[in-house]
Amino acid sequence: MAETELEKPSAAGTDASSPRLDFIRELIEEHNRIGRFGQRVHTRFPPEPNGYLHLGHAKSICLNFGLALEYGGKANMRFDDTNPVKEEQEYVDNILADVRWLGFDWEDRLFYASDYFDQLYQWAIQLIKMGKAYVDDLTADQIREYRGTLTQPGKDSPFRNRSVEENLALFEQMKNGDFPDGSRVLRARIDMASPNINLRDPVLYRILHAEHHRTGDKWCIYPMYDWAHGQSDSLEGITHSICTLEFEDHRPLYEWFIDTLGIHKPQQIEFARLNLTRTVMSKRKLIKLVQDNYVRGWDDPRMPTISGARRRGYPPAAIREFVSATGVAKSNGTVEYAMLEYYIRQDLNKTSPRVMAVIKPLKVVITNYPEGQVEEFDAVNNPEDPSAGTRKVPFSKVLYIEQDDFMENPPNKFFRLAPGREVRLRYAYFIKCENVVKDADGNVTEVHCTYDPTTRGGDAPDGRKVKATIHWVSAAHAVQSEVRLYESLYTVENPNDLPEGKEFTDFINPNSLQVVSNAQVEPSLKTAQAGQRFQFERLGYYCVDPDTTTSQLVFNRTVTLKDEWAKVQKNG
RNA sequence: UGGGGAGUCGCCAAGCGGCAAGGCUCCGGACUUUGGAUCCGGCAUUCGUAGGUUCGAAUCCUACCUCCCCAGCCA
């Protein structure tokens, strides 16, 4: 990842102009006011290393690390690695890289729930000794039956009243690997009739003879997430444990653990996760897209993963701005993808060098331009940033323009090139279309124009105006490139809410990727490096794909420019 | 039909008893050597519904409706 992002988020940060606090910041300030945590703010981002991070995680990352920055606190990075059968080192490496790329720093505070396995084991023994945990021999199916339903209370397991000594001995044997997987579990002894199902004697440990990516074969019992999470927060001195809504009714359980163990109690706060239109974010579905080759990998630019966004050309600062603009609340909603794109464009407009590139070339011959002559014009690199300077762009008799910039029979509102019409070639001359050359099928293959030498630079001394300025590239100097054009991966607005019997993969957009192999770009791009972002003038933002080699440039379309003409066409 | 949450403009989202912020989208218009950017202007007499309290309610009370989450030895 040849990526240098100098802009880091800061406490003064993303939107200093917003004095309004969301409910989380309100709570934190209340805690600071009453001194609940001694003015301390300590958060954490706790992913499970069983997949890649996506835009939904980005919101949590920005919130947790952002809060720490804002309140002069700290944020930890912690992997909730309690299920060895699903977790892999590859995922931890990529998750770490993604968080870093987003601009956040956990300094020396990288932790793993597996760091706490010994402590967790001791606490389990403590619970057993208090008569608050027991080894259950029921099968998984039986446990489910005994648990009751949403409307009916559960009933006690016949093993619920074993002696402390027996529980201790059995639990020890579980740890020693004396029992096969699934044969027994350790359960908390709380209340089988609780209206909150999480409190009906939840499983604390299960037997799993599996190799863990960090602890190897040291353990054959592994703590459940519910047993590990709250205590991990507690051990790290977390003050504000921010998570998503579905954990709201786990909070009483976490607090029960912490209260009966008598250890530091963080404040858990739940917020609504980020959902996006035209996007699927569940890990299961993302894995399916990758495994069944609907996309080219986790970092496919069509994926909503952080690595996909990076490859697509989304700047990390834009993602942060977007996430911050969506706000923090408790109501479930789905943000329109257009809002994300707005923030991507807003960032790119200020930061991307402009360049001329023709994606669907149409040959133009300037009939009155001297054969063999080459001129160089100065082109502005970024009108939004004068310090970006200028560059030279070569011009000659044969050019390429965009097919979309020419129409033989133009409708009223079409301002671009057409027979008899004059337009400006950006930074160069006015040209007028004199006639066209067609192939056997009647398609225009070449446009013959004349140029007005007095319009050099782009203005006519006689003051005449032109309705359009189009981009171009000199055929003799152009660099042929591959350009990958992306559209939504789905044909429907909400691939998460489908008619009965339909799967999200039934609505994959067959045109989500269009590869153009003969795009022609200006020669200054010849040395562009993977990860660099540009605005192809009048088209959109593009970034150099890592597939680029010394002999072949490959660009990804990040997002198009807003297109007034497209709107005119669409609305008739 | 248990428990836990949520309902304010097409989409996010402020609002915390004094008379509906802001952003995105959308629609006008100005400007323009990117039909980009920028700039101006428009866009909820109404806050899930129905009652009630109050001089006054999106904000308080009552009832109802709708949506989301929970019955993994997943996280």
Side-chain angles (χ1 to χ4, degrees):
Chain A
M1 172 190 356
E3 186 86 45
T4 314
E5 299 295 341
L6 295 176
E7 286 295 313
K8 295 293 185 194
S10 65
T14 41
D15 52 25
S17 60
S18 154
R20 288 210 161 71
L21 300 177
D22 54 66
F23 78 101
I24 293 181
R25 280 171 247 252
E26 226 164 50
L27 223 205
I28 288 176
E29 302 212 344
E30 172 64 10
H31 287 159
N32 283 162
R33 197 171 316 127
I34 64 178
R36 167 145 177 210
F37 297 108
Q39 320 301 309
R40 224 160 46 78
V41 173
H42 202 332
T43 58
R44 99 269 95 118
F45 173 61
E48 182 190 13
N50 70 340
Y52 280 60
L53 258 26
H54 54 60
L55 265 3
H57 292 113
K59 181 159 188 161
S60 173
I61 293 166
C62 291
L63 232 196
N64 279 295
F65 282 90
L67 251 16
L69 247 19
E70 281 172 51
Y71 291 99
K74 293 174 175 169
N76 294 358
M77 181 69 207
R78 180 177 73 238
F79 286 97
D80 268 327
D81 54 350
T82 55
N83 186 357
V85 318
K86 288 188 176 173
E87 297 151 7
E88 292 170 26
Q89 186 62 37
E90 184 214 338
Y91 293 129
V92 345
D93 296 340
N94 283 289
I95 287 170
L96 256 16
D98 287 347
V99 175
R100 224 177 268 122
W101 177 78
L102 266 179
F104 299 103
D105 184 7
W106 51 87
E107 299 173 315
D108 58 349
R109 296 178 308 281
L110 169 59
F111 304 119
Y112 296 81
S114 54
D115 293 343
Y116 313 132
F117 282 179
D118 284 298
Q119 175 63 262
L120 256 9
Y121 180 72
Q122 291 308 321
W123 276 333
I125 288 173
Q126 185 179 332
L127 243 45
I128 293 173
K129 287 180 175 165
M130 294 169 83
K132 296 195 168 182
Y134 62 98
V135 172
D136 196 346
D137 300 356
L138 254 26
T139 65
D141 284 343
Q142 288 171 320
I143 286 179
R144 190 181 325 116
E145 284 164 28
Y146 276 71
R147 185 153 33 224
T149 68
L150 294 180
T151 51
Q152 290 168 303
K155 57 187 181 193
D156 290 358
S157 162
F159 303 98
R160 197 173 197 261
N161 294 314
R162 291 222 247 232
S163 69
V164 169
E165 291 66 34
E166 191 183 2
N167 279 319
L168 251 14
L170 251 15
F171 186 47
E172 167 109 36
Q173 285 177 276
M174 280 173 62
K175 187 201 73 170
N176 291 342
D178 296 344
F179 306 127
D181 285 4
S183 57
R184 278 175 239 260
V185 292
L186 183 75
R187 291 230 255 170
R189 198 165 183 272
I190 307 179
D191 176 10
M192 287 307 293
S194 173
N196 180 346
I197 291 180
N198 296 117
L199 263 18
R200 318 241 263 230
D201 289 11
V203 172
L204 268 29
Y205 276 94
R206 71 290 214 182
I207 301 171
L208 238 37
H209 291 264
E211 166 123 353
H212 187 278
H213 68 103
R214 300 206 88 229
T215 61
D217 56 8
K218 175 176 179 187
W219 298 90
C220 51
I221 56 171
Y222 289 93
M224 296 290 290
Y225 171 86
D226 277 349
W227 172 242
H229 191 80
Q231 288 93 292
S232 298
D233 281 344
S234 179
L235 282 167
E236 292 175 18
I238 299 304
T239 55
H240 302 272
S241 176
I242 294 160
C243 62
T244 42
L245 259 24
E246 69 269 29
F247 293 106
E248 209 147 15
D249 47 19
H250 291 236
R251 190 173 60 215
L253 175 60
Y254 301 159
E255 294 187 341
W256 185 91
F257 288 146
I258 275 165
D259 288 339
T260 92
L261 257 15
I263 57 179
H264 164 71
K265 178 150 70 176
Q267 172 69 55
Q268 174 170 303
I269 308 170
E270 309 85 7
F271 75 100
R273 63 154 32 90
L274 171 67
N275 294 302
L276 272 176
T277 57
R278 301 192 165 280
T279 304
V280 137
M281 220 109 70
S282 90
K283 272 183 189 169
R284 199 208 105 231
K285 291 176 181 168
L286 259 19
I287 285 173
K288 187 173 177 63
L289 290 173
V290 172
Q291 286 182 345
D292 296 353
N293 297 309
Y294 288 103
V295 294
R296 322 226 267 209
W298 284 102
D299 69 342
D300 185 298
R302 291 166 292 180
M303 290 285 274
T305 50
I306 303 296
S307 51
R310 173 168 61 233
R311 190 163 182 178
R312 177 82 173 246
Y314 289 4
I319 294 173
R320 280 184 242 127
E321 289 294 331
F322 162 68
V323 153
S324 152
T326 60
V328 182
K330 294 193 71 142
S331 67
N332 260 315
T334 303
V335 175
E336 288 173 347
Y337 206 88
M339 184 163 165
L340 206 206
E341 293 192 322
Y342 170 83
Y343 285 91
I344 300 299
R345 289 189 186 102
Q346 182 184 260
D347 181 294
L348 260 13
N349 175 50
K350 293 191 204 104
T351 59
S352 303
R354 267 93 282 208
V355 104
M356 288 199 284
V358 173
I359 293 190
K360 295 184 178 159
L362 173 61
K363 189 191 256 187
V364 168
V365 178
I366 315 290
T367 53
N368 60 338
Y369 194 82
E371 192 82 44
Q373 177 171 311
V374 175
E375 286 180 86
E376 284 198 318
F377 294 106
D378 287 312
V380 174
N381 286 331
N382 188 347
E384 304 289 326
D385 175 14
S387 74
T390 62
R391 68 186 184 285
K392 300 284 188 192
V393 183
F395 181 89
S396 63
K397 186 182 180 78
V398 181
L399 312 170
Y400 291 119
I401 65 166
E402 209 66 58
Q403 281 171 23
D404 286 349
D405 285 340
F406 175 82
M407 270 187 133
E408 196 178 6
N409 301 299
N412 242 343
K413 302 245 181 93
F414 184 82
F415 303 151
R416 284 108 96 147
L417 198 62
R421 277 252 199 105
E422 188 173 50
V423 299
R424 171 167 40 229
L425 291 179
R426 177 137 239 230
Y427 301 122
Y429 296 102
F430 283 12
I431 58 168
K432 187 174 178 184
C433 173
E434 306 293 354
N435 59 292
V436 302
V437 178
K438 296 182 183 180
D439 63 15
D441 300 326
N443 301 311
V444 175
T445 55
E446 214 170 279
V447 177
H448 286 6
C449 298
T450 52
Y451 83 116
D452 175 353
T454 69
T455 59
R456 201 189 133 94
D459 283 304
D462 64 8
R464 75 181 189 279
K465 300 290 182 195
V466 100
K467 288 195 88 170
T469 299
I470 65 175
H471 59 97
W472 51 275
V473 112
S474 166
H477 307 268
V479 182
Q480 181 160 328
S481 303
E482 175 176 322
V483 176
R484 299 174 182 170
L485 305 174
Y486 301 103
E487 282 178 18
S488 167
L489 234 196
Y490 310 97
T491 56
V492 290
E493 183 76 0
N494 185 356
N496 295 298
D497 181 25
L498 301 169
E500 273 297 309
K502 291 290 189 183
E503 248 228 282
F504 80 108
T505 46
D506 295 336
F507 298 91
I508 296 279
N509 176 5
N511 301 316
S512 64
L513 166 62
Q514 188 195 340
V515 178
V516 176
S517 56
N518 66 150
Q520 304 289 338
V521 308
E522 66 168 69
S524 72
L525 248 17
K526 206 168 298 178
T527 55
Q529 300 295 306
Q532 281 192 295
R533 299 186 271 254
F534 298 93
Q535 184 196 100
F536 286 2
E537 291 214 34
R538 302 207 309 128
L539 297 176
Y541 296 97
Y542 291 75
C543 89
V544 182
D545 190 84
D547 285 347
T548 292
T549 64
T550 46
S551 57
Q552 174 72 103
L553 279 167
V554 180
F555 294 94
N556 291 312
R557 180 168 71 194
T558 305
V559 63
T560 61
L561 246 29
K562 285 183 72 177
D563 188 348
E564 202 61 39
W565 168 235
K567 203 180 287 177
V568 170
Q569 289 178 100
K570 202 176 147 193
N571 300 342

